[in-house]
Amino acid sequence: MRKAFVIILTFIGFLSFGQETELNSIEKNELDSIYVKALNSRFDLLLSSGWKYIELNENGKRISKLNVSDRYKFLTNEELIDLSIKEKKTIRVLRLTHKIIGIDTVDVNFGIVNVTGKRKIHFNNGLKFKKADFALNCGGTNGYVPDMRFVFDRKKNNWELIGGKYKIPTE
C-alpha cells in the first residue's frame, strides 16, 4: 500500500513539474499585441499635444515596428540625452513593463523616466562631454495598482482591457 502511494505521489510530481513556467508564459507576439492595444488605448496621451517618447528597451524595440499611433517616438538612451541637451529641458519618457498575473491575465504598466542631459566636461573613466541623469517617478503609496489590466476572452479569442488606472469607465 505504501509503495503504491509513493508511486502515485511521484507520478503526480512528474506531471506537475514545469507547470508554473507554462502558466506564467505568454508568447512575445501576444505580449506585443497587448502593448500596442495599451498604447493605443491611452487617450490621455493621444489627445495631449506633442510627442510621447518611449524608451527603446527590449519591449520597445519589438513594438516600435508594429502598428502604434504616430504620436509616439521610440528613442534610445543616447537619442534621449541628445534631445534633452538640444531642447535644454528634461524629457519625460515612458518605460513599458508588464506583470503576468496568470495565463489569461496581464498587467501593463507605464513607468515614467525623466531624462536630463547636460553638455559638460567631466572625468569618469576618461574624458566625457555629456552627462545625463535618469530619474524614476514614484508610484505612490497606495500599493500595487496596475495601469491597465488585460484578460484573455476565450469566446472572442482576444485580449480585453478590463481595469486599471487608465481604463476609461464605460458606465
Side-chain angles (χ1 to χ4, degrees), residues 81-92:
I81 295 166
D82 291 341
L83 181 67
S84 175
I85 291 170
K86 179 182 169 192
E87 295 188 3
K88 296 180 181 165
K89 66 178 187 177
T90 299
I91 304 296
R92 186 178 163 161

Side-chain angles (χ1 to χ4, degrees), residues 28-53:
K28 298 281 187 201
N29 60 352
E30 274 188 279
L31 196 56
D32 294 346
S33 71
I34 293 170
Y35 276 129
V36 169
K37 193 176 275 195
L39 283 170
N40 291 335
S41 298
R42 282 284 306 263
F43 286 106
D44 60 320
L45 296 176
L46 294 173
L47 296 177
S48 62
S49 63
W51 290 104
K52 306 303 173 254
Y53 302 107

